[in-house]
Amino acid sequence: MLSHYTKLWLNFARTSLLIKLEYKTNFLLQMIIEVCWAAVTFFTLEIMFYQTNSLAGWSKGEVFMIYAIYRLMTAIGAILFRKNISNLVILVNTGELDLLLTKPVNIFFMIFNRIISIDRISQVVISFLLFIYASHLTHLVWSLPRILEVLVLTICGVIIRFGFSIIIHSFVFWFQNLENIERLELNLFGTARFPRQAFPQFLQNLFTIVIPIMFTAAIPAEIILGKTGPLLFVSTIILAIISASITYNFFYFALRHYSSASS
Amino acid sequence: MHNWSIFKSFLRISFQDHLTYKNALLIYMFDVFFLPLISLFVWRVVASSSPQLNSQIDSITNYYLLLPLVALYTSAWHGTYLANDIRAGRISSALSKPFSLFTQFFAGNCSSKFVKTFFLLPMVIFSLFLFNLKLTPTLLQISTFIISLGVTAILAFYRDHLIGLLAFWLDDISAINDFFDISEFTFGGRVVPIFIFPPLLKSIAFILPFRYFTVFPLEIITGTLSPTQIFTGLSIQLVWLCLAVYATSMFWKKGVRRYSAFGG
């Protein structure tokens, strides 16, 4: 069964790559634009640290470390899930979901894995460059346990962030027009680019406990930089497991409210 | 008179269209306020450790609180739709009708801003109380703000229309849209107020056109510009507006000729 899904995923990846390579200019242009968008935040942070040496007790290098993690998680999510999640709204509103429901494949897998946005790979490269820059500024030494720690935190962050994204996009089964929801989610999770200490206590609680935004960059950075104990590391893993379970179950609950748009 | 009644009809249709999707408008309200509010929290923390910035904290606060409202009035988004219509050949039917596509999109833009104002106002009022807005503009600032807001709104509309018209020659205009977005986010002051830029970046932002398409009215009302800078800026905006009107008319004529030549 597992190999069946692996084969299917590899087929999706191959098809996505072939489609992207059909439009080579667009592919290259997309990569350049990704670099430019990353430069916008880089530009903002540089101006910020032109004015001050520390942001809520965080040095420039430490804030760039948060940004590197944020970029890496966003990049991985953008390659694997972003396009698929956005497409859910189209699938529901056009009734194309009917066709997918008839396939002998798990519908959750089918909807959220069909498109692999390989052109977003430049974001991963940018993240690694940011990691090098932030490590240089913070004098962070990389070891195998630290790399594994980053890997685990990244996987957990991607699950938490894109799980939340799937949940809010699933509201399309009740409200058809959700055209701004993706931008709202991007802005919401963009908050994790800053240390949580930069916000008033009620917002810190809101973005950590109610909506776990801070677990997608700021808290992982605290863990990697040794600013917090192992408790938050374990909490992140537990939260990711709970988040995955809630996402999966909520999606099926929402799916029960699907009424085809086609005739 | 005839054009005005057509414009009013489009306004009414677009108004009803927008009200159909109230949940999208609610999402819009939170979305448009969220980023400036978060930026404001962060910059207030930065200002607390920077004496130079701390002296400008009221201007920074006013800037971010009014940014969503100014951004709404100075925004345009129809370029992508216009480009899609050109590419799909849908403008053929519009060409035979007794009104211009420009009028149709302009009415849509106006009615959308009108409806969104009602959704934005509660958030504006809430944030004004939350941060205790201290705004004491002079008569000159108020009058030039109103003029500049109108000019910027029209300028932004023309800029978006021009980008849309490029679809007569280009297959994909999304990269150009992205280029303008990125430029306006950085040198247009949509993320960081230009008055707190380092001197070199500030000079670059003053030379580039992007701030005249976005935050120039905001800079006037928050009191960060001298009267000379206000009048110089307004003059530059008017020059850009004349250029945009001329370029739109030229692009449309040449574009339609090209479109007809290909049998669209």
Side-chain angles (χ1 to χ4, degrees), chain A residues 26 29 33 36-37 40 43-44 47-48 50-52 54-56 175-181 183-184 187-188 191 193-194 198-200 202-203 207, chain B residues 21 23-25 27-28 30-31 34-35 38 41-43 45-46 49-50 52-53 172 174-175 178 181-182 185-187 191-192 196-199 201:
Chain A
N26 275 2
L29 222 52
I33 286 162
C36 292
W37 275 119
V40 172
F43 178 86
T44 311
I47 291 177
M48 204 172 270
Y50 167 78
Q51 301 282 1
T52 185
S54 113
L55 174 64
F175 311 103
Q176 279 71 38
N177 193 320
L178 288 178
E179 61 179 52
N180 300 324
I181 202 87
R183 261 191 52 173
L184 177 67
N187 285 338
L188 208 60
T191 313
R193 285 172 299 176
F194 303 106
F199 300 102
F202 80 95
L203 278 184
F207 295 151
Chain B
Y21 303 109
N23 53 324
L25 285 168
I27 296 169
Y28 165 83
F30 282 108
D31 173 47
F34 192 75
L35 198 57
I38 290 301
F41 279 120
V42 174
W43 279 104
V45 173
V46 174
S49 60
S50 160
Q52 191 202 339
L53 217 55
D172 187 8
S174 61
D178 279 325
D181 278 348
I182 289 163
F185 266 90
T186 48
F187 290 105
V191 176
V192 181
I196 59 174
F197 276 19
L201 290 178

Side-chain angles (χ1 to χ4, degrees), chain A residues 128-146:
Chain A
F128 284 121
L129 292 175
L130 282 165
F131 266 116
I132 294 168
Y133 182 57
S135 303
H136 167 72
L137 292 176
T138 53
H139 309 292
L140 190 77
V141 181
W142 286 94
S143 57
L144 188 63
R146 183 156 279 156

Side-chain angles (χ1 to χ4, degrees), chain A residues 13 165 174 186 220 235 253:
Chain A
S165 186
W174 289 280
L186 276 173
S235 306
F253 169 71

Side-chain angles (χ1 to χ4, degrees), chain B residues 1 49 56 75 82 84 90 95 99 102 108 154 188 205 222 226-227:
Chain B
M1 196 63 183
S49 60
Q56 294 173 297
S75 60
L82 174 61
N84 287 342
R90 283 192 292 267
L95 287 171
F99 54 82
F102 187 92
I154 299 170
T222 49
S226 67

